[in-house]
Amino acid sequence: QVQLVESGGGLVQPGGSLRLSCAASGFIFSNYAMSWYRQGPGKERELVASIANTGGSTNYADSVKGRFTISRYNAKNTVYLQMNSLKPEDTAVYYCNAKHALYTLRKYNYWGQGTQVTVSS
C-alpha cells in the first residue's frame, strides 16, 4: 500500500534547473520526515536533503547547499526538491525517502523507485 512516486527528472544543461516531486500514499505523511537521496554512476547513495515532518527544519549536503531547496506540502502528501545551477556532478538517480519522525518507529522507512537526472551539454 505504501507508495512513493518520484517525477520531474530529465535532461538539463549545466546551469539549468529542475524541480522533482515525490507523491506519497499509504501512510500518514505528516508523521514522517522526508529526504532526497541520489546515486551517481559508480558512486554510493548519498543524502542530498531532508526536511522534518512539520517542515520546520531542513538539512542539506554541502555539495548542494545554496543551490537546492527541499519543501513539503502536507495537505497534498508531496515533497519537492528544487534544483538550481545544476552541475554535471549532479547527474544521478534521485530517490525519495520517508522515515517516521519517532525514533522508536524508525523502522517504518520507505523508498521510491527513483527518477533520473542528467546534467549535460
Side-chain angles (χ1 to χ4, degrees):
Q1 294 173 328
V2 170
Q3 205 166 19
L4 297 172
V5 181
E6 301 96 335
S7 62
L11 175 64
V12 64
Q13 293 185 342
S17 297
L18 285 173
R19 189 180 76 159
L20 306 183
S21 298
C22 174
S25 60
F27 61 97
I28 302 175
F29 184 74
S30 60
N31 288 345
Y32 285 72
M34 301 298 297
S35 298
W36 288 95
Y37 288 75
R38 68 185 182 189
Q39 187 167 22
K43 296 183 178 181
E44 296 183 350
R45 188 171 298 186
E46 65 173 341
L47 177 64
V48 176
S50 60
I51 186 167
N53 62 310
T54 62
S57 63
T58 57
N59 289 283
Y60 298 92
D62 287 343
S63 60
V64 308
K65 201 167 297 181
R67 300 188 297 122
F68 291 10
T69 303
I70 188 171
S71 61
R72 66 192 295 161
Y73 186 16
N74 283 357
K76 294 180 63 177
N77 287 6
T78 303
V79 63
Y80 306 94
L81 185 67
Q82 178 66 47
M83 305 185 295
N84 298 326
S85 302
L86 284 162
K87 304 174 181 179
E89 49 262 48
D90 296 318
T91 295
V93 178
Y94 284 72
Y95 297 91
C96 180
N97 171 264
K99 183 172 69 176
H100 203 286
L102 292 178
Y103 181 79
T104 55
L105 298 180
R106 65 192 184 279
K107 69 178 181 180
Y108 297 105
N109 192 329
Y110 309 113
W111 292 89
Q113 65 183 26
T115 185
Q116 176 71 48
V117 172
T118 302
V119 184
S120 177
S121 59

